[in-house]
Amino acid sequence: MIDIKDRVRNKALQAKIVSAEQAAASIKPGMNIGASGFTPAGYPKAVPLALAERMKQENFTVNLWTGASVGQELDGALAEAKGIAKRLPYQTNDSIRKAINNGTIQYTDLHLSHVAQMSRYGFLGGKVDVAIIEACAITEEGQIVPTTSLGNSASFVQSADFVIVEINTSQPLELEGMHDVYVPLDPPHRQPIPLVKADDRIGTPYIPCDPEKIAYIVPCDIKDDVRPLAAIDDDARAMTGHLIQFLKQEIEAGRMPENLLPLQSGVGSVANAVVAGLADSDFENLTVYTEVIQDGMFDLIDAGKLTFASGTSITPSPDGLKRLYDNIGEYRKKIILRPQEVANSPEVARRIGVIAMNTAIEFDIFGHVNSTHIMGTKMMNGIGGSGDFARNAYLTFFFTNSIAKKGDISSVVPMCSHFDHTEHDVDVFITERGVADVRGLSPKERARVIINNCAHPDYQPMLLDYLDRAEKATGYAHTPHLMNEALSWHTRFLETGSMKIK
């Protein structure tokens, strides 16, 4: 067993160091597990792997709650052992996704800022039975020092009957001090979150925990299962160019300071590419208030463009993870990790005026956004934090390529097949084709701006034809739709493999 006594600085707690198998044996069927992790960062690995092996022998399930998605050793291992009954609030794992979409796993897709409070109030089907938290150290007082994410860890520790701590020796001790742990009081006792700018510190650099609550401490040396990001392509460069031009116009119009407002960016390759593109822009002294810090943020720091980044998780590519660890002494001066109910707080987003930049699967001509479902029925990943920011940002952008599946799918459709963000939440749409600024427009005005500026030329005539016929058929109604055709594009794709009329 790996020696972790130098990282467990509370001498009394060293007696609780056990194997992953011993800790996993304490988990009973049907328990609600609250695990650390937000994206494949900072999640427990050794105990879930041992638990999955036990599940294969004993054939039982648990309910898994996390901050967001996690890595293969947790989501993948438990799903492949058929050990998850219910999963929330977000996932990106292939095995979990398949099980959700074939009905094997029940999935609750939630706004990420809601999860901690809902779990404390018992809204999610009981309380947290056990919290399993990855840490890089335990302090002399028995407090838990997190690793590359914070997510819901602090809330789960507060609520759980008992806590299992995984000390991961692959995570550098230099992470200590990068966290700012603040758990709001619940209504009716809640006070305003005392945070007015991205670099404010309002909490503690560790997760407070009664040492008596820590039942087991498990050594681990498995690295975060970070994933490569797609190469930045011409479409992503075009979207970044459109964004930069738009933001410059906002500055010229006096609606934004020269260093912009705090940036929020979603997860994934497109979002990362857009942020990375800002490193080559004229903008300086930028700040970030977001969920996930990806490679693009490191690019901004290295280019001297970014003064500070606040998030709840550091989720780089494999190359980015090495870059983080090699330069952690410098990056830790400009990065802070908070609980996700603070990082994603609508209150804070509204107060500091974030620029929200998230990605869509599709959006429709009237400005509604589908972020989660393929063809209206198959769950992709989940809404994540996009809704937390979209409705509360100073300025809300949604990005997507104008087409998918080599042109057989238009990402701009007459009506979304699933609604995550309504027309009331979004200010600006961007595809590689251009920018649709829909602020202050009526639905019919929005429709023509979105079609003309964002839709692919292969689909623009079809969309305009739909709109023209819908206006005439409804007597130019406020939001004109042909109800028998509104989802016909999706039906046509499912039947023929293309949204195009053949």
Side-chain angles (χ1 to χ4, degrees):
M1 192 159 59
I2 304 163
D3 185 3
I4 55 171
K5 287 185 178 179
D6 60 328
R7 291 185 177 229
V8 181
R9 302 200 292 263
N10 181 293
K11 301 297 184 183
L13 285 176
Q14 291 178 0
K16 297 184 178 182
I17 298 173
V18 300
S19 69
E21 290 73 18
Q22 287 173 278
S26 68
I27 297 171
K28 295 180 173 59
M31 274 187 167
N32 295 325
I33 296 176
S36 63
F38 191 108
T39 65
Y43 59 97
K45 304 166 181 73
V47 174
L49 287 172
L51 179 60
E53 289 304 310
R54 185 178 151 218
M55 286 169 164
K56 292 174 186 177
Q57 301 299 319
E58 300 179 25
N59 190 27
F60 68 94
T61 62
V62 296
N63 303 311
L64 179 60
W65 308 351
T66 60
S69 58
V70 288
Q72 173 64 23
E73 297 88 353
L74 179 49
D75 262 350
L78 296 192
E80 288 160 16
K82 296 181 172 57
I84 300 176
K86 177 169 281 189
R87 179 74 172 92
L88 62 86
Y90 186 85
Q91 52 73 43
T92 58
N93 180 271
D94 286 342
S95 297
I96 289 242
R97 186 183 298 116
K98 289 173 184 175
I100 290 168
N101 287 317
N102 67 25
T104 306
I105 291 176
Q106 297 302 311
Y107 180 53
T108 305
D109 183 25
L110 297 169
H111 294 297
L112 298 187
S113 69
H114 292 183
V115 179
Q117 177 177 302
M118 292 177 77
S119 70
R120 292 193 296 268
Y121 266 36
F123 290 177
L124 303 177
K127 59 182 175 56
V128 180
D129 294 303
V130 53
I132 310 177
I133 307 297
E134 180 178 272
C136 63
I138 294 177
T139 71
E140 288 81 359
E141 296 77 23
Q143 315 303 341
I144 300 168
V145 181
T147 59
T148 44
S149 71
L150 203 40
N152 287 318
S153 298
S155 179
F156 290 159
V157 166
Q158 175 181 300
S159 302
D161 288 339
F162 67 99
V163 178
I164 299 171
V165 180
E166 270 195 20
I167 299 294
N168 193 317
T169 58
S170 78
Q171 299 278 22
L173 286 169
E174 289 86 352
L175 289 167
E176 189 167 356
M178 193 180 280
H179 308 87
D180 185 43
V181 181
Y182 175 95
V183 178
L185 296 173
D186 288 324
H189 308 293
R190 177 162 295 167
Q191 298 293 314
I193 295 173
L195 200 159
V196 296
K197 57 186 189 303
D199 60 351
D200 281 347
R201 280 188 172 272
I202 60 174
T204 59
Y206 50 75
I207 298 172
C209 182
D210 180 353
E212 293 297 318
K213 199 180 228 187
I214 298 175
Y216 305 99
I217 301 171
V218 175
C220 179
D221 62 357
I222 304 170
K223 294 181 180 179
D224 283 342
D225 180 30
V226 293
R227 302 159 192 158
L229 292 161
I232 298 175
D233 61 14
D234 290 340
D235 283 354
R237 292 187 186 95
M239 285 187 266
T240 303
H242 297 322
L243 172 68
I244 290 170
Q245 183 179 4
F246 184 91
L247 293 174
K248 286 182 176 179
Q249 291 170 352
E250 291 296 290
I251 293 170
E252 290 171 5
R255 291 189 286 262
M256 199 173 292
E258 288 189 357
N259 68 329
L260 306 178
L261 288 164
L263 304 173
Q264 178 269 327
S265 175
V267 183
S269 296
V270 171
N272 182 70
V274 169
V275 170
L278 293 173
D280 296 323
S281 72
D282 298 330
F283 300 124
E284 295 182 344
N285 299 315
L286 300 172
T287 58
V288 164
Y289 194 86
T290 191
E291 305 168 296
V292 174
I293 295 166
Q294 296 183 276
D295 292 27
M297 303 293 182
F298 298 155
D299 293 342
L300 288 174
I301 293 173
D302 292 347
K305 304 282 189 179
L306 181 62
T307 62
F308 204 84
S310 169
T312 192
S313 172
I314 303 174
T315 312
S317 68
D319 289 341
L321 188 64
K322 182 179 185 303
R323 184 174 166 192
L324 168 67
Y325 289 167
D326 288 347
N327 299 280
I328 194 166
E330 290 302 311
Y331 287 139
R332 70 196 299 270
K333 297 175 184 176
K334 296 187 176 182
I335 294 173
I336 196 168
L337 300 181
R338 311 180 189 278
Q340 70 191 67
E341 62 184 316
V342 176
N344 286 47
S345 167
E347 172 198 350
V348 176
R350 178 66 63 90
R351 178 184 299 132
I352 67 176
V354 300
I355 299 172
M357 302 182 292
N358 291 285
T359 55
I361 289 173
E362 63 182 1
F363 53 83
D364 67 29
I365 59 177
F366 296 114
H368 304 285
V369 176
N370 170 16
S371 294
T372 58
H373 284 68
I374 304 299
M375 294 294 136
T377 61
K378 298 291 187 182
M379 171 57 66
M380 186 64 183
N381 298 325
I383 194 169
S386 56
D388 296 325
F389 293 102
R391 182 163 290 184
N392 299 285
Y394 177 83
L395 197 58
T396 294
F397 294 85
F398 272 91
F399 297 81
T400 189
N401 299 87
S402 65
I403 53 175
K405 294 287 184 182
K406 299 181 180 179
D408 284 322
I409 290 177
S410 173
S411 299
V412 184
V413 292
M415 179 186 281
C416 283
S417 59
H418 178 88
F419 287 68
D420 291 296
H421 313 280
T422 74
E423 59 182 321
H424 310 293
D425 299 341
V426 189
D427 300 307
V428 184
F429 295 92
I430 297 181
T431 70
E432 81 285 358
R433 306 296 306 175
V435 178
D437 180 358
V438 299
R439 291 174 293 180
L441 302 184
S442 70
K444 292 191 289 289
E445 290 173 325
R446 280 198 300 271
R448 284 188 162 77
V449 171
I450 288 171
I451 293 169
N452 291 331
N453 292 7
C454 290
H456 193 276
D458 289 354
Y459 290 98
Q460 281 175 328
M462 295 169 60
L463 290 165
L464 288 169
D465 173 69
Y466 175 88
L467 179 61
D468 289 341
R469 289 186 295 111
E471 287 180 324
K472 292 172 184 174
T474 61
Y476 295 88
H478 180 65
T479 305
H481 265 304
L482 300 171
M483 298 310 295
N484 63 333
E485 290 188 36
L487 295 175
S488 63
W489 290 36
H490 301 86
T491 302
R492 187 161 52 245
F493 175 80
L494 291 170
E495 291 176 349
T496 71
S498 179
M499 287 185 173
K500 294 176 181 176
I501 298 173
K502 297 182 180 179

